[in-house]
Amino acid sequence: MNYRILIFILPIMFSLSCSNDDGVQGPDKEPGLEGTARVVGYLPTYRFHLSDKIAYCKLTHLNLAFANPDSDGNIIMPSVTEIVSQARGDNPDILICISLAGGGLTTEASANWSNLIDVAANRPGFIENIVDYVLTNSLDGVDVDLEWDHVTSGYSDFVLELDTALSAHNKLLTVAFPQVRYGNVTDAALHAFDFINIMSYDATGPWAPSFPGQHSSFQFSQEGIRFWAEDVGISEEKLTLGVPFYGYDFVNSTTVNAFTYNEMIRSNINHANLDQVGTSYYNGISTIASKVNLASNNGIGGIMIWELGQDSFDEYSLLKAIHDEYTRLRILTSGLCGNE
């Protein structure tokens, strides 16, 4: 995800959307439960070593991040075999996607993406490589996380052609977008996605050290939902509200440091239900639970997490808070670990 873009001004810039066929949400509704919801967690490659700590039974979707192409369109990604095996061992119904691109692309990766999707003749071979990767690794689909300047002129055609190729194998196509519509994303491309993960965080951060404060407030999430559902007109069920498992410490007017929720809890367990400690801002258990309720009350299809490896893997876990709140609301997510 993108930690550098200046989006503290986004509430006055809104304009974006996505969705298509009904997004897959895991198990069917069962007697005694009053609805269903997705719980989508991203796990970046640099957190793969924490896989054995993650409660996959509390997820419906897992996005492995990030894969990028070389100049020939070959997919570059560390092996996902062990992660896939472990996740499905804990949760046989979990849907696992490969997430492409990411917010922090290198100059080389950016050039590769542009060449592969903006030049029409290059797209078929690249898309074939993506689909082959999904099939070879027994994955359930693809999540696209091209952001900002990397959403180039060929983006929409790439999405539509990738959707056609994935649909032939009954595979998912999802996307992560912030609370703004990129100019190169057509209506047709937006409607090709099964659901959209709203990056409802990073309203401020290291790129804006003179604007300290909460980067993922409850109000910011409300604005994201309102933008997608009302301004853009996307079906609420096809939206997934993103929540952060990290925060920012605004040390001074020139220095902002990122930290994980886990680090905050390790420093003091009493921080679990707070959103601010000194100059550090994050989302604690109560705010995460409130956002689950916000999503539920607005008919939003679920919650997305960036990212799982930043959690506190104990009783103070934010994933546990999401799971417990959906269960308290009698909403079916994974159907496991007490959500029955």
Side-chain angles (χ1 to χ4, degrees), residues 6-7 9-16 148 179-181 227:
L6 185 67
I7 60 174
I9 59 172
L10 284 184
I12 62 172
M13 294 172 57
F14 290 153
S15 168
L16 171 51
W148 302 98
Q179 297 171 189
V180 63
R181 179 170 184 166
F227 166 69

Side-chain angles (χ1 to χ4, degrees), residues 130-183:
I130 296 172
V131 175
D132 284 348
Y133 184 92
V134 169
L135 298 176
T136 299
N137 289 280
S138 301
L139 302 179
D140 298 292
V142 173
D143 175 71
V144 179
D145 189 25
L146 285 163
E147 301 179 20
W148 302 98
D149 291 344
H150 306 305
V151 180
T152 51
S153 61
Y155 179 93
S156 290
D157 287 335
F158 165 70
V159 166
L160 291 170
E161 292 169 26
L162 178 59
D163 179 50
T164 298
L166 289 170
S167 295
H169 299 279
N170 196 30
K171 300 296 184 180
L172 286 170
L173 179 60
T174 69
V175 68
F177 279 135
Q179 297 171 189
V180 63
R181 179 170 184 166
Y182 303 131

